[in-house]
């Protein structure tokens, strides 16, 4: 094995044996004056490394991840990463949420600073952290076995979760090597397996989390039940931008199980022994709201404003003009033989996550415990600390399984609200947003209009595409502090409605697909057998010269696809599935 290189500023791996378990980790911050620590407003890291893997005495491995379990199956992929590097069976691998502490903050793999899950980046982040730790563990276990057997390192391999000596066919369990491995220098640049060498990754694997989700043993945020728990129901202002003038609390307080009525800036909440009691008491209140200074608009007015914006076509380039062929597109539209000019609209859409927005919080004198389903742990932790006037280290956040994120749980407004409600209660309080309240006061996917102009030549071959989009600003009302540095969006409108991306943010791709389908429907000579679209790259069209035979093949192919689709949506099973 090569001598380990000096640890870098951003990557440091270390190991130790604690109570018979071998713990291995990769850190992100290795200097006490690190700029990222200052930016995140957290205390400097006191340990030179943090821990991603824990090998137990029974030869099982616990992998700690910063990727939130949203139901997307990433925990299974993370287990596959461990199985790939260490040749363990999936049954011996357990994946758990990492503690929300500075040592686990990420700033690699396209992930914003801190602990955040979004944009399908979970697997990439896990390979960088857990994958590197597994690769280091593999190298160290092999070297430990070679030293114990006094044989060349090249003769040792990992096999079925053991170290195997090929010449003598001797085996050693991982647990037999912990003490030696922990004394070895840790490779600072371990090499994870290349995709060409994968035996487990990239293969279909049964979801490890399905049984617990089916039998109900998986714990989501709303399932947490700490001792002495109370419940809070909350009512927000009926319109965005309105604030609370006052409320007569006496009707709610007359109910026996009601503990307190909490008055907030734009909401009122009732804390009671049960959520049902809190909800009943909340409905007895008649709060008085202060009107918003935003104009009252309806859907038709907003739709007309967005349509006017895309028609004018004078918005800001997004992405920047240097990443587009602006002049080439304008020239193509000028000399095009045919132009398809069409408009697509998407309405405001509530996220409506399957698990209601909720948070369970206990506020004591110098400590806050938070049990929550969230996509943005460090940002939520920081927001709660600031709202309560505490340090980040005084807020302990326990990540739970999430019953649907869709980007909504990147925001932490509901968590801060829950903290303010629980502030003076003295016991854990679980705040739950009802579905109607979530629909009224939650963040929406923005109403958006897109105008697409597709330039075609005499042969109906695509030459260029121009897209003009208009929507409310995605960041104007966001409280996210570690998000991407996007300051403007083309044709932004502001009506006071809280908006935030949903899972299919770049829905414009649906418009691209629709306009291509339109080409087929109008009988154009469809020569696009494969398309690739990226906002950051020019269009790449695959031009295929079509003779009569090739054209016939394409037409027959389109007809078959259309027939299969009609048969699919008309089948009883599909219709029943849609109704369900």
């Amino acid at each position: 094995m090569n001598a380990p290189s000096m640890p870098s500023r951003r990557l440091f791996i270390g190991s130790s044996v604690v109570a018979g378990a071998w713990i291995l980790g990769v850190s992100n911050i290795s200097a006490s004056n690190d700029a990222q620590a200052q930016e995140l407003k957290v205390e400097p890291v006191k340990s030179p490394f943090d821990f991603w893997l824990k090998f137990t005495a029974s030869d099982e491995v616990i992998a700690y991840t910063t990727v939130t379990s949203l139901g997307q199956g990433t925990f299974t992929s993370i287990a596959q990463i461990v199985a790939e590097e260490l040749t363990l069976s999936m049954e011996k691998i357990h994946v758990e949420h990492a503690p929300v502490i500075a040592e686990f903050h990420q700033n690699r793999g396209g992930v914003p600073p801190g602990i955040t899950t979004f944009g399908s980046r979970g697997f990439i982040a896990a390979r960088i952290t857990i994958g590197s730790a597994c690769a280091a563990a593999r190298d160290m276990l092999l070297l430990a076995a070679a030293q114990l057997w006094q044989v060349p390192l090249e003769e040792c391999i990992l096999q079925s979760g053991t170290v195997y000596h090929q010449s003598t066919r001797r085996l050693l369990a991982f647990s037999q090597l912990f003490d030696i491995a922990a004394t070895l220098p840790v490779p600072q640049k371990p090499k994870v397996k290349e995709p060409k060498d994968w035996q487990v990754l990239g293969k279909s694997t049964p979801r490890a989390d399905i049984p617990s989700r089916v039998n109900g043993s998986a714990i989501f945020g709303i399932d947490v039940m700490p001792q002495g728990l109370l419940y809070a129901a909350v009512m927000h202002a009926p319109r965005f931008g309105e604030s609370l003038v006052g409320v007569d609390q006496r009707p709610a307080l007359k109910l026996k199980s009601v503990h307190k009525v909490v008055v907030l800036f734009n909401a009122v909440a009732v804390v009671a022994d049960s959520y049902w009691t809190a909800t009943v008491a909340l409905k007895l209140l008649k709060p008085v709201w202060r009107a918003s200074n935003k104009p009252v608009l309806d859907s038709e007015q907003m739709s007309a404003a967005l349509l006017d914006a895309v028609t004018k076509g004078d918005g800001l380039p997004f992405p920047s003009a240097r990443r587009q062929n602006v002049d080439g597109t304008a020239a193509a539209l000028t000399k095009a033989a045919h132009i398809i000019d069409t408009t697509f609209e998407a309405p405001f859409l509530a996220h409506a996550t399957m698990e209601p927005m909720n948070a369970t919080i206990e506020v004591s004198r110098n400590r806050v415990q938070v049990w929550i389903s969230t996509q943005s742990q460090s940002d939520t932790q920081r927001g709660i600390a600031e709202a309560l006037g505490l340090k980040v280290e005084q807020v302990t956040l326990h990540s739970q399984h999430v019953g649907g994120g869709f980007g909504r749980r990147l925001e932490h407004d509901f968590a801060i609200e829950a903290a303010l409600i629980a502030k003076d209660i003295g016991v854990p309080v679980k705040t739950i947003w009802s579905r109607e309240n979530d629909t009224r006061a939650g963040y929406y996917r923005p109403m958006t209009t897109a105008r697409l102009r597709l330039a075609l030549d005499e042969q109906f071959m695509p030459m260029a595409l121009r897209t003009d989009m208009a929507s409310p600003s995605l960041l104007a009302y966001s409280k996210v502090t570690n998000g991407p540095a996007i300051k403007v969006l083309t044709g932004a409108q502001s009506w006071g409605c809280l908006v935030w991306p949903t899972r299919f943010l770049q829905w414009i791709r649906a418009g691209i697909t629709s306009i291509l389908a339109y080409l087929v429907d109008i009988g154009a000579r469809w020569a696009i057998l494969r398309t690739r679209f990226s906002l950051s790259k020019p269009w790449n069209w695959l031009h295929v010269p079509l003779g009569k035979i090739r054209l016939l093949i394409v037409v027959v192919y389109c007809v078959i696809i259309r027939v299969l689709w009609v048969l699919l949506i008309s089948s009883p099973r599909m219709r029943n599935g849609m109704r369900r």
Side-chain angles (χ1 to χ4, degrees):
M1 173 180 284
N2 296 328
S5 60
M6 291 299 293
S8 68
R9 178 177 174 82
R10 292 292 178 179
L11 180 62
F12 193 100
I13 305 180
S15 72
S16 62
V17 173
V18 180
W22 184 36
I23 305 175
L24 192 74
V26 184
S27 76
N28 304 294
I29 309 174
S30 58
S32 60
N33 61 347
D34 192 278
Q36 179 181 328
Q38 296 175 6
E39 176 187 346
L40 295 173
K41 301 179 183 178
V42 298
E43 291 294 325
V45 178
K46 299 176 182 179
S47 172
F49 54 85
D50 52 84
F51 305 110
W52 298 95
L53 296 177
K54 180 179 180 181
F55 292 77
T56 69
S58 58
D59 289 315
E60 295 184 334
V61 173
I62 301 174
Y64 296 98
T65 179
T66 57
V67 181
T68 302
S69 174
L70 297 167
Q72 76 278 47
T74 305
F75 272 30
T76 300
S77 297
I78 293 171
Q80 286 182 282
I81 292 173
V82 179
E84 185 69 68
E85 300 295 339
L86 299 173
T87 69
L88 286 166
S89 64
M90 294 287 285
E91 294 74 22
K92 289 193 172 185
I93 302 169
H94 309 280
V95 182
E96 298 181 7
H97 286 112
V100 184
I101 55 179
E103 286 87 344
F104 280 96
H105 283 182
Q106 295 293 289
N107 194 19
R108 300 193 303 272
V111 177
I115 299 178
T116 307
T117 300
F118 76 103
S120 302
R121 291 177 172 86
F123 178 77
I124 298 173
R127 277 202 80 202
I128 293 174
T129 53
I130 296 174
S132 297
C134 287
R138 177 196 64 216
D139 295 344
M140 296 170 72
L141 289 167
L142 290 171
L143 182 58
Q147 290 185 359
L148 184 63
W149 286 327
Q150 296 184 347
V151 298
L153 176 62
E154 297 75 26
E155 296 181 4
C156 301
I157 62 172
L158 293 192
Q159 179 177 291
S160 301
T162 64
V163 180
Y164 176 65
H165 184 225
Q166 301 178 82
S167 300
T168 62
R169 298 185 178 180
R170 286 178 287 181
L171 293 172
L172 281 173
F174 288 170
S175 57
Q176 296 175 276
L177 298 168
F178 290 168
D179 291 332
I180 299 176
T183 64
L184 297 175
V186 183
Q188 293 304 305
K189 294 183 179 180
K191 186 177 180 181
V192 298
K193 289 184 179 180
E194 297 292 336
K196 62 182 179 62
D197 300 321
W198 285 353
Q199 299 296 319
V200 181
L201 285 169
K203 305 292 176 61
S204 178
T205 302
R207 287 271 297 270
D209 58 344
I210 293 299
S212 63
R213 292 175 182 271
V214 172
N215 63 30
S217 60
I219 303 299
F220 294 80
I222 202 169
D223 298 323
V224 174
M225 300 283 288
Q227 187 174 3
L229 179 67
L230 298 178
Y231 296 82
V234 61
M235 178 195 302
H236 288 88
R239 289 187 59 231
F240 290 116
E242 292 187 338
S243 57
L244 182 65
V245 175
V247 60
D248 182 2
Q249 304 179 15
R250 291 173 295 179
L253 294 174
K254 288 179 180 179
L255 295 186
K256 183 177 180 180
S257 299
V258 171
H259 289 255
K260 188 175 182 179
V261 175
V262 181
V263 175
L264 301 174
F265 174 73
N266 65 336
V268 59
V270 174
V271 180
D273 287 344
S274 69
Y275 182 65
W276 174 258
T277 301
T279 302
V280 171
L282 187 66
K283 292 179 179 180
L284 298 176
L285 300 179
K286 306 296 181 183
V288 178
W289 306 101
R290 181 178 292 106
S292 169
N293 57 6
K294 292 287 184 180
V296 178
L297 299 176
D298 59 23
S299 297
E300 290 186 0
Q301 290 176 305
M302 290 185 282
S303 178
L306 295 178
L307 182 61
D308 180 65
V310 299
T311 302
K312 291 179 179 178
D314 55 1
L316 300 172
F318 181 79
S320 60
R322 63 182 177 82
R323 300 171 68 184
Q324 304 180 50
N325 188 354
V326 178
D327 295 336
T329 300
L333 286 169
T334 300
K335 63 182 181 181
H338 312 279
I339 295 179
I340 298 177
D341 190 341
T342 185
T343 302
F344 297 90
E345 295 182 271
F348 283 112
L349 182 66
H351 287 79
T353 57
M354 183 176 294
E355 177 190 7
M357 308 309 294
N358 70 91
T360 301
I361 299 181
E362 180 180 12
V363 181
S364 57
R365 183 177 180 182
N366 295 312
R367 179 67 54 184
V368 179
Q369 297 280 340
V370 181
W371 296 267
I372 190 172
S373 302
T374 179
Q375 295 177 246
S376 187
Q377 284 84 348
S378 55
D379 204 47
T380 299
Q381 181 188 47
R382 184 165 53 253
I384 292 175
E386 292 178 353
L388 298 178
L390 300 173
K391 295 181 179 179
V392 172
E393 294 76 16
Q394 294 176 285
V395 178
T396 301
L397 192 147
H398 307 278
S399 299
Q400 308 298 317
H401 291 290
V402 175
F406 313 112
R408 172 63 178 100
R409 283 185 160 94
L410 283 171
E411 292 287 350
H412 55 248
D413 55 307
F414 64 99
I416 293 177
E417 182 178 86
L420 295 174
I421 292 172
K423 181 178 180 180
D424 299 319
I425 304 300
V427 297
V429 178
K430 179 183 294 184
T431 299
I432 302 175
W433 284 25
S434 66
R435 181 65 72 200
E436 55 269 33
N437 183 69
D438 186 20
T439 304
R440 177 190 299 120
Y443 285 77
Y444 281 73
R445 185 191 71 175
M447 183 180 189
T448 308
T449 298
R451 179 189 181 194
L452 278 68
R453 282 175 282 177
L454 180 63
L456 306 173
D457 63 16
E458 291 81 359
Q459 304 301 318
F460 288 92
M461 299 297 293
M463 301 167 58
L465 174 70
R466 169 162 176 162
T467 302
D468 292 273
M469 294 180 61
S471 72
S473 171
L474 287 174
L475 299 178
Y477 301 96
S478 172
K479 301 300 186 295
V480 171
T481 61
N482 64 339
I486 301 175
K487 296 184 178 180
V488 293
L489 289 179
T490 304
Q493 300 283 334
S494 179
W495 294 307
C497 178
L498 301 182
V499 293
W500 186 245
T502 191
R503 182 64 184 88
F504 195 34
L505 170 60
Q506 291 176 318
W507 68 272
I508 185 60
R509 297 188 182 189
I512 302 298
T513 305
S514 298
I515 202 168
L516 293 179
Y518 183 57
L519 274 175
V520 179
D521 287 341
I522 65 173
R525 291 179 60 186
W526 185 51
I528 308 164
L529 300 180
R530 234 176 47 180
T531 62
R532 189 181 74 179
F533 173 64
S534 172
L535 284 176
S536 61
K537 296 180 180 179
W539 281 88
N540 292 281
W541 299 102
L542 179 62
H543 292 260
V544 181
L546 295 179
K548 292 183 179 180
I549 295 178
R550 289 175 179 165
L551 178 59
L552 179 62
I553 292 174
V554 171
V555 171
V556 171
Y557 171 80
C558 294
V559 171
I560 292 173
I561 294 298
R562 178 61 64 86
V563 171
L564 289 175
W565 174 247
V566 171
L567 291 175
L568 177 64
I569 63 175
S570 62
S571 67
R573 178 177 297 180
M574 176 61 72
R575 290 200 304 270
N576 292 337
M578 288 181 175
R579 283 197 290 268
R580 285 196 294 267

